[in-house]
Amino acid sequence: MLTVDRLCAGYGGGIVLHEVSLRVRPGSIQAVVGRNGAGKSTLVHTIAGLVRASSGRIEIGGVHVAGRQPHRIAQSGVGLVPQGRRVFSRLTVAEHLHLAAAPWRAPTSGGEGWTVARTLELLPRLAVRLRHRGCELSGGEQQMLAIARALLGQPRVLLLDEPCEGLSPDLAARVRELVNGLAADGLTVLLVEQQLQHAMEIADRVAVLEYGRVVYDRPTAEARRDPAPLAAMLSVAAVAPPPANRSTPRLWADTP
Amino acid sequence: MTGLLEAQDVSVRYGSLAALDGVDLRIHDGQRHALIGPNGAGKTTLLNVIGGSTRPHRGTVRFDGRDVGRLGPAARARRGINRIHQRPAVFPTLTATENVVVAALPRVVGRRRWWPGGRRRAAQRLAGPLLDQMGLTAVAAVPAGHLAHGQRRQLEIAMALAGRPRLLLLDEPAAGLSAIEVGRLVELLQALPRAVAVLLVEHRLDLVYALSDTVTVLRDGQTLAAGTPDEIRTSPLVRQAYADGVA
Amino acid sequence: MAAGTNRIDPYLIPALDGVAYGLLVFVAASGLVVCFGVANILNLAHGLLYAIGGYTAAALLDGGWASLALALAVGVLAAAAAGVLLAGLLTPVATGNHLSQALLTFGVALAGGSLLVAGFGPDNPQVQVPSALEGSVMIAGHRYAAYRLVFIVVAAVLAAALYLVVRRTRAGMLVRAAVDDPEMVACLGVSPARIRAGVLAAAGALAGAAGVLGAPIIGPGTGTADTVLLLSLVVVVLGGLGSMAGTLLAALAIGEIQTLGVALLPSAAPFLLFAAMAAVLAVRARGLAGRWRTA
Amino acid sequence: DDAPGTSAGGPIKIGLLASLSGTYQAVGTEIRDGFQLYLDTHDGKLGGRQVDLIVADEGNGAQTAVPAATKLLKQDRVSALTGIVGGGSVAGVTPVLNETKVPLVGSNGRPELKDVSRVWHTSYLSDEPGAAIAQHVRDNVKGSVYAIGPDYQGGWDELRGFTDAFGKIGGKLANADGKTTFTPFPATTNFLPYFARIKASGAAAVYTFYAGSAAVDFVKQYAQSEIKDIPLYAAGFLTEGGVLNAQGEAARDIYSVLNYSPDLDNAENRAFVAAWKAKHDGSPTTYALASYDAAAVLDRAIGAAGSDPTPEAINTAIGQLGQIASPRGTWQFSTTTHSPVQKWYLRQVRQDGRALSNTVVGDLATVGR
Amino acid sequence: MRGEVIRRVRGGIAALVLVGLVVAPWVVDDYTTSILARTLALALVGVSVALLTGVAGMPTLGQTAPYAAGAYACAVVGSRVSDVGVVQLVVAAAAGALLAALTVPLVVHARGVIVLMITLAIGELVVIVLGRWRSVTGGTDGLAGIPAVRPFWGLPALADDQARYLYALAVVATLVGAVLVLLRTRAGLVLRAGRDDETRLRASGHRVALHLSGAHIAAGAIAGAAGSLLVVAQQYISPADFGFDTSALLLLGVVIGGTASVGGALVGAALVIAVRDWLFGVLPGHAPLVLGALFVATVYLLPTGVNRARGRLRPPGVPALQANPPAAPDQATVAELRR
Ligand SMILES: Nc1ncnc2c1ncn2[C@@H]1O[C@H](COP(=O)(O)OP(=O)(O)OP(=O)(O)O)[C@@H](O)[C@H]1O
Ligand SMILES: Nc1ncnc2c1ncn2[C@@H]1O[C@H](COP(=O)(O)OP(=O)(O)OP(=O)(O)O)[C@@H](O)[C@H]1O
Ligand SMILES: [Mg+2]
Ligand SMILES: [Mg+2]
């Protein structure tokens, strides 16, 4: 359970997030969308403890964590896939996986634990790059590594900041499918995503952030029923209809 | 008609891994060419070879009829090859405006560019409208290191345009941009002077089809197919390539 | 044949000594390798940590093996504690912010150095080697200090251990990861502050050990800290910042330059070290020029 | 500010500049303590006037010494300056001395100076120890001598003093090209490669000059090297003061030449050593002695300078002092170089009770120009 | 708003300092004046260090090399050729620039700590040469007896501390002004960009090596000119003036001043050198201890210096984060936060 209540945060001299409130139940996916610079990453970073909250509450599993050191928050089960990958440039893929693996931590409720073998099965390209260093990977490979790194920490709360950026469409679809499965296993997921139709595919709720404020926060089903306000807010033509079968990767998902 | 850019038989090896293996590419003036393929196919590597930051093991790169294989990235930029990077690369302590000014300096034209400070002033005049086009006016005075991810990408596009490119190399320009920004980007690219050639790497195929005249599909460092967007869209080979890229 | 041997003969001992001296420099520098080479924390107080070990040795050694063990234990602990203290002082300075780190650690080195001298006096104290090692041994007809021979073994063991720790253990990986992106390390649930304290403690322990063991060769005194710091910095940077094999090679090269080089070219002796260093670094930088900031 | 010099019987300001931090701290402390000892044993008075001793830190050399001296001369307006460890510092301070016209009674370093009208030294000229011992080495060593020293002005002078005098009386150097070997200073911490060359040269003895930690390194490595059986002659600083303690057993039997040894048998020395030992551990060194003598010189000069001891008057008075009784024996200023004409002693490191010490084993020449 | 205030305050402080410097010789005693003159020379070297370290991103421990070249060139010219200040300045600056130009191939391709070590080696080599080339440099004991300088043909020689100080002040002010103007042209902008990301700068078509060489040579010329001021200020030079500790203190001073700011470098370097010189006089034997403690304290007390050295955090004077949303309420929050 992740609760954000009247959260304010910013950098140096200015405030970026203004009284943001969100509530993500275990087993559900909360999507956050919004224009560039709206404060999505700031929100994610504040929850992870990387940006200091100036006021407001952040609760994880009922425990107030705002103001804690980032490593403490990570220890309480928060996993982060940051925007821009941020893989360790001088560590090899194998070392990344070794470092991130936390087999001693209890696996996510309901699901089996994440092992190196299981992540490599999910992201086979990494398996053939095990001895490459972070800086030698292609953009997409780095993104895969960032996802693998977060999963191996056996998170209970997963913060995904545009996890599909740079992934080929099929792989992106598979990642979304995976996230969906994780949520079904009881994980709490906060998903930042630019492409609304992709977010709506799997999310239970959609929130829109505008200038650091939550201006829209509804269940996906409701948003689908009445797509106009959302579409207007993001000036997208229309909200895509629910996919017929969520588990099949749709190869040409982007084809207009 | 000879092409603006002719890359022949380009190969790049990293240890035992062939990132590019005998790739040919030809782009003529004003052509909009897209490069697609699964992750790790070698798209960025090919852009690096053309931009001069990676030296190929084999093969030649000719630009505007001359062999540029021995030139570094700076010299190629001065000849008109400008690019944006897959990971937005900006000058973090410089403001957005200053970023654009720096990018514009080498190829700026202005009547007084030989006067002291003249070049800088000419570049400065260019920066405002470019930032405006990218929707960055509000953050023009913010150091680039403090911009959001998507804003950095937009800034880098503005920088690439400020260099008055003849060939624009775009590595996933739309990644991380919101719908509004993507729309703006499409408009901008479509409004580019016809003489500017574009080489676009993108995973969003809707954009590829909307923006490109021709498409090359790479996979495992080799050219899998090339043709018009319509040909590529219907080619079963290409679908196969993507599917295998996942498994 | 005989003439040939004769021509080589005078250089035999310098060449051997170059190895011993190089290894001494390596041991002295090993703490800085961990601290600066691997963890990217510029610690200009490294010489001070070494001097702590040296003064401990001078105070405790009485010519017996037991006192050596005691001095080693005390020296390592004291220097490690100083390292932790330094980590505490460094808390507000970001990793990789070399200039501010330099400012702070240089200050600590200045102040700490004068405290040490105030405590132990300005004279170089006497250091007593265990009597078994005091003498010299004969090698190929030449006399050579026994203690320096022992050093060759100690340093070899240390080099191997360091390599294993840095390359193969989780701790080594964490340290290297923290250099790249401390925030992401924190997001893996490990406190970067603790990593930093650990690194400085380890660096301190190594420097303390080096100070105790090296005291009979580079003894404690007012200039010791500066000498050790300079040599260590040269070795670490020449060795390619963190590469264990490179550091060892660089240390050996420095050793040979300072002994064999001096024996062969005495008139150029003052220039050898710095000229070689500038040349090597400049050539290597040229090679790396393309690679530096692309990563 | 009051002008330099004061009304009859009033206090007088003396500036003492010495290395109280850095590489030469050991020497600097001895210099300060030697001067202070004289004051303490003379009611804190020089020439009947209460002394206001202002101490400043010379640091590692000219670049810190110059501002510190400037403060003493221009802000504190001392009537005389004393101390100064490094020759380079003296050279650096000279322009300010000339500007303020204050005399310097230096107690250690002495560079080559064009104009010594206001500069006096109670120590020695750097080439004198070598010149004093040359004859003894010539008489006692059967074979050639290897000369080696540190590569800076002090080292050049010390070694030149020896090699010039030694050559004049027919001595032969063992060095390959007949010229002294100079080791980078202070960078050299490992002397083994030089020892290999000495061994190869077939020298019958070695003459050297080192001080401070270089002296410790040199002597310790010498004792473990393959030339440990070759007799070692040196300017006395090689085994003087604290370094001897650090060298320990390795220093045994080394011969050295110096203008002082604490075991000299005369009344002044007995009183001086006793007073020193009452305050400090160990015996006084030549550094302390020179500074003690500088105080004695000032004592007599201020007394002779009359009711208004201006810097000028003090300077003139120093020039007229004549013989000075001192723990090292009687000496006097040379009229040309303004440094002592004094007797030099041959000493050897020998067991003295529980500790090793420099024991006088003979008198050498009286030297001074 | 806040940036404006800060800029005003800074401008005010700068003006005050300048006025203070001009009237100083009439207010303080000779000793302080002479120390100030010497400090000005070193502060000018500090400016050249800042130019390389902060602006061009080449942290240097070797600016003592061109500094020494300038000083010795000036001393030699002063005692053998001409006592005219302008001539000496030009010769010294040229000597510094020449030495810097000779070392360009060593440094332009290196970055970060590697530059630090290469420049350290260059500085040490120069000091060694100075100590051994006795016919010209007077060896380790240095050169004394350099005749007093006359600023310009026909003017009287500078005989007292006051005059020497004012001469140094005039030269420093002129050169610093020139540097500030230079940094406002595109050269300054491009150098800063290169410090941020060289690869990106190349990709935009700039000749990075050329810019860096230019900066290096210019910094060498400034350091050379400072060398001539040192000769004027203390009429004596020796290799000890150009040793490693001078480089180290200058670099630290520049860090304290905030590496990228010329004014900061001037003040920081001057402060460090002045405090050291002052401490050796008033606290004999404890100067290193106090100086060391001061360095440590500085890191804590001057977070701006620290942060700007890092070059990541927001420099003062940058406007608020984003285009503020039209609504008003957050203005209060922002204001609260800033207090
Ligand atoms: N380190 C920083 N220092 C100061 N301001 C920052 C910093 N990082 C981000 N900002 C500012 O905070 C605002 C929100 O940034 P944030 O990264 O949260 O946006 P975002 O919604 O994630 O955008 P995007 O979709 O482009 O990633 C932006 O205006 C940005 O300029
Ligand atoms: N410096 C390097 N060292 C080793 N291997 C590298 C290096 N750079 C790239 N590679 C490898 O070359 C292959 C091609 O990489 P490239 O970056 O060109 O892929 P890409 O097509 O751009 O992929 P993506 O869509 O994921 O960005 C990848 O498998 C990558 O791991
Ligand atoms: Mg973001
Ligand atoms: Mg790519």
Side-chain angles (χ1 to χ4, degrees), chain C residues 181-283:
Chain C
D181 195 335
E183 286 192 343
M184 280 301 119
V185 170
C187 287
L188 295 179
V190 183
S191 154
R194 193 162 312 157
I195 294 180
R196 175 133 69 163
V199 164
L200 278 160
L206 283 170
V212 172
L213 296 175
I217 306 176
I218 301 185
T222 43
T224 312
D226 295 347
T227 314
V228 169
L229 175 66
L230 187 70
L231 280 177
S232 306
L233 272 178
V234 171
V235 166
V236 174
V237 175
L238 266 187
L241 295 172
S243 143
M244 219 47 67
T247 312
L248 193 60
L249 261 182
L252 289 176
I254 298 285
E256 292 296 347
I257 284 176
Q258 300 250 49
T259 52
L260 196 58
V262 165
L264 286 169
L265 281 174
S267 53
F271 301 100
L272 276 179
L273 176 65
F274 289 113
M277 172 171 133
V280 168
L281 287 180
V283 168

Side-chain angles (χ1 to χ4, degrees), chain D residues 20-21 55-57 59 62-64 66-68 70-71 74-75 87-88 91-92 95 99 111-112 114 151-153 156, chain E residues 29-31 34-35 38 131-132 134 138 140-141 161 164 234-236 238 240-241 245-246 276-277 280-282 284-285 288:
Chain D
L20 300 176
S21 62
V55 180
D57 188 356
Q63 133 237 29
T64 36
V66 172
T70 314
K71 169 187 173 280
K74 291 193 173 168
Q75 192 178 54
E99 203 184 321
E112 232 167 278
K114 285 194 202 106
D151 197 4
Y152 73 99
Q153 189 71 46
W156 302 330
Chain E
D29 60 2
D30 279 359
Y31 159 67
S34 75
I35 290 281
R38 215 175 83 101
R132 296 168 64 92
R134 292 168 70 185
T140 51
D141 273 356
D161 289 320
R164 288 194 285 264
Q234 66 180 25
Q235 292 161 287
Y236 160 82
S238 77
D241 285 313
D245 30 353
T246 309
R276 180 198 62 177
D277 290 350
F280 271 86
V282 298

Side-chain angles (χ1 to χ4, degrees), chain A residues 93-94 97 117-132 136-145 148 166-168 171 174, chain B residues 14 17-20 37-43 45 203 218-221 241-247:
Chain A
V93 171
L97 301 180
R118 193 173 156 212
T119 25
L120 290 181
E121 200 179 307
L122 172 74
L123 304 162
R125 245 202 115 73
L126 288 183
V128 292
R129 293 278 171 279
L130 278 179
R131 301 174 65 92
H132 285 228
E136 296 169 346
L137 299 177
S138 85
E141 289 162 353
Q142 288 184 346
Q143 189 68 52
M144 299 175 208
L145 185 54
L167 295 184
S168 69
L171 187 57
R174 275 186 60 154
Chain B
Y14 294 111
L17 174 90
L20 283 180
N39 292 124
K43 307 180 292 293
T45 308
H203 285 302
L218 278 188
R219 197 187 149 204
D220 292 336
Y242 265 99
D244 286 1
V246 174

Side-chain angles (χ1 to χ4, degrees), chain B residues 15-146:
Chain B
S16 62
L17 174 90
L20 283 180
D21 188 8
V23 173
D24 297 329
L25 187 72
R26 168 187 283 223
I27 300 174
H28 55 77
D29 275 311
Q31 186 178 347
R32 309 291 148 97
H33 190 92
L35 199 57
I36 61 173
N39 292 124
K43 307 180 292 293
T44 302
T45 308
L46 185 55
L47 249 53
N48 287 344
V49 169
I50 296 170
S53 52
T54 296
R55 195 143 292 176
H57 262 101
R58 211 177 55 215
T60 53
V61 180
R62 299 175 68 81
F63 183 69
D64 208 9
R66 292 172 54 192
D67 188 352
V68 292
R70 308 188 67 83
L71 299 182
R76 294 192 200 190
R78 286 196 298 277
R79 280 175 172 64
I81 304 182
N82 275 283
R83 72 175 298 186
I84 72 158
H85 299 78
Q86 184 165 11
R87 224 179 115 175
V90 292
F91 305 111
T93 64
L94 269 50
T95 64
T97 309
E98 286 173 331
N99 267 280
V100 178
V101 169
V102 167
L105 278 173
R107 275 165 64 82
V108 75
V109 284
R111 259 183 307 122
R112 300 188 166 175
R113 68 179 182 281
W114 303 116
W115 294 28
R119 276 179 100 98
R120 183 169 178 173
R121 238 164 286 138
Q124 200 102 36
R125 271 196 297 277
L126 209 65
L130 269 173
L131 287 174
D132 194 39
Q133 270 182 314
M134 293 311 309
L136 292 174
T137 314
V139 289
V142 175
H146 296 176

Side-chain angles (χ1 to χ4, degrees), chain B residues 78 89 93 102 120 146 156, chain E residues 184 196 200 205-206 311 314:
Chain B
R78 286 196 298 277
T93 64
V102 167
R120 183 169 178 173
H146 296 176
E156 207 189 2
Chain E
R184 283 180 168 269
D196 273 7
R200 186 66 186 84
H206 288 275
R314 162 192 301 259

Side-chain angles (χ1 to χ4, degrees), chain A residues 165-191:
Chain A
E165 186 188 318
L167 295 184
S168 69
D170 317 58
L171 187 57
R174 275 186 60 154
V175 167
R176 285 193 294 276
E177 185 193 348
L178 164 80
V179 171
N180 203 22
L182 286 175
D185 287 347
L187 213 67
T188 312
V189 179
L190 185 76
L191 169 72

